[in-house]
Amino acid sequence: MSTPKTPPGPHSAPHASPGRRASSRRRRRGSRLPDGLADVGVTAGSVLAAAVAVGVLIVVRFVVALIQLLGNAVAYDPSAYGSGFLAAPVGLFLRAVVLDPLPFYVVALLALAVIFHVTATVSLLLALARAVAAGVAGAAALVVVGLIASVPSGDVATIVVGTVFAPLALGVQLTAVLAGGVTLSWLWATRLEAAGAATAIDASMIDVEGDEDPSVEPPEKSSVGGEEASVSAHAVPDPAVDTAEAPAPAPPSDPESLARFAPPAPR
């Protein structure tokens, strides 16, 4: 037989507000990816982790190229640079940040987002191994671009430099910085995972407290002999226990016992 549910009173446990539930549903709905990307294993967490790792790489490249640009601007000598915009200090800055490593950026981002996922469930050593694998894929993209750019020249030395030495030198540098970016991304994902677990525990505790019946009052507590004992608020005496008062003891009938209370004899 089910007990009727009473409306929550002023002392009932708080439940999650509708606004909070709606906002959490909106966050979950906004974090979903299209079905086509989800089918190939791409998740919002993997895309965000890949973006953080490649973003760190771009920031480091920008800072290094900016320092080189400032150094070239201080001691600028036109005879030390070749002809054309890309051989000027500003052109060298753009090549170092965007033009030369752009294939590496794109391929490494796709590799980390689709194949080599960096999540909080993997170890740091495995995350670094996946960063190296993504760097190798990016270096392969640099080789392809160098081959396309150097083959029309017909010079064997240019082809070897464009397909071997230049991609190898640039790929090693970018892979090393990418490993640092993946480490930061892994630490960030681990912290988010711990915060999400703590939030889930708090929500489950609120749900458990909300399931308690507010109409049932807790038993009263009284202290007896230094120890707390729970006593019912409406105690009913046991009819089997006789609560009548015991009769008073009868006085002794022994004469020797009564002689103690006699007055002393006259002398």
Side-chain angles (χ1 to χ4, degrees):
M1 180 178 181
S2 60
T3 58
K5 294 183 179 181
T6 57
H11 303 288
S12 61
H15 293 273
S17 61
R20 186 181 302 174
R21 294 176 181 174
S23 61
S24 62
R25 284 195 297 267
R26 284 195 298 268
R27 287 195 298 267
R28 288 195 299 268
R29 190 181 303 113
S31 61
R32 293 178 181 176
L33 293 175
D35 295 337
L37 295 178
D39 293 339
V40 297
V42 180
T43 61
S46 64
V47 173
L48 190 57
V52 170
V54 177
V56 170
L57 172 60
I58 294 175
V59 169
V60 172
R61 291 288 297 182
F62 176 82
V63 172
V64 173
L66 182 61
I67 294 174
Q68 292 177 352
L69 175 62
L70 294 177
N72 294 332
V74 170
Y76 178 71
D77 185 6
S79 60
Y81 300 94
S83 60
F85 173 75
L86 294 179
V90 177
L92 293 176
F93 171 79
L94 294 177
R95 287 185 58 183
V97 177
V98 179
L99 299 179
D100 290 345
L102 182 60
F104 187 95
Y105 295 158
V106 175
V107 174
L109 179 63
L110 294 177
L112 290 175
V114 179
I115 303 175
F116 309 111
H117 298 166
V118 178
T119 59
T121 57
V122 302
S123 62
L124 179 58
L125 185 61
L126 182 57
L128 291 176
R130 292 181 177 182
V132 173
V136 171
L142 294 177
V143 171
V144 173
V145 172
L147 181 64
I148 296 174
S150 59
V151 163
S153 65
D155 187 5
V156 177
T158 303
I159 295 175
V160 172
V161 171
T163 57
V164 178
F165 294 104
L168 182 61
L170 184 58
V172 170
Q173 297 176 8
L174 296 179
T175 302
V177 181
L178 182 64
V182 166
T183 301
L184 293 179
S185 179
W186 180 83
L187 292 175
W188 175 75
T190 305
R191 185 173 181 179
L192 283 185
E193 185 73 15
T199 304
I201 293 175
D202 294 341
S204 63
M205 293 296 294
I206 292 176
D207 293 339
V208 169
E209 293 177 359
D211 292 338
E212 296 179 356
D213 191 356
S215 62
V216 178
E217 297 181 357
E220 297 180 358
K221 293 183 179 180
S222 60
S223 177
V224 178
E227 298 180 355
E228 293 186 353
S230 59
V231 181
S232 175
H234 305 285
V236 180
D238 190 358
V241 178
D242 188 7
T243 58
E245 296 182 358
S253 58
D254 188 6
E256 295 181 359
S257 301
L258 296 175
R260 292 180 300 173
F261 301 99
R267 295 181 182 179

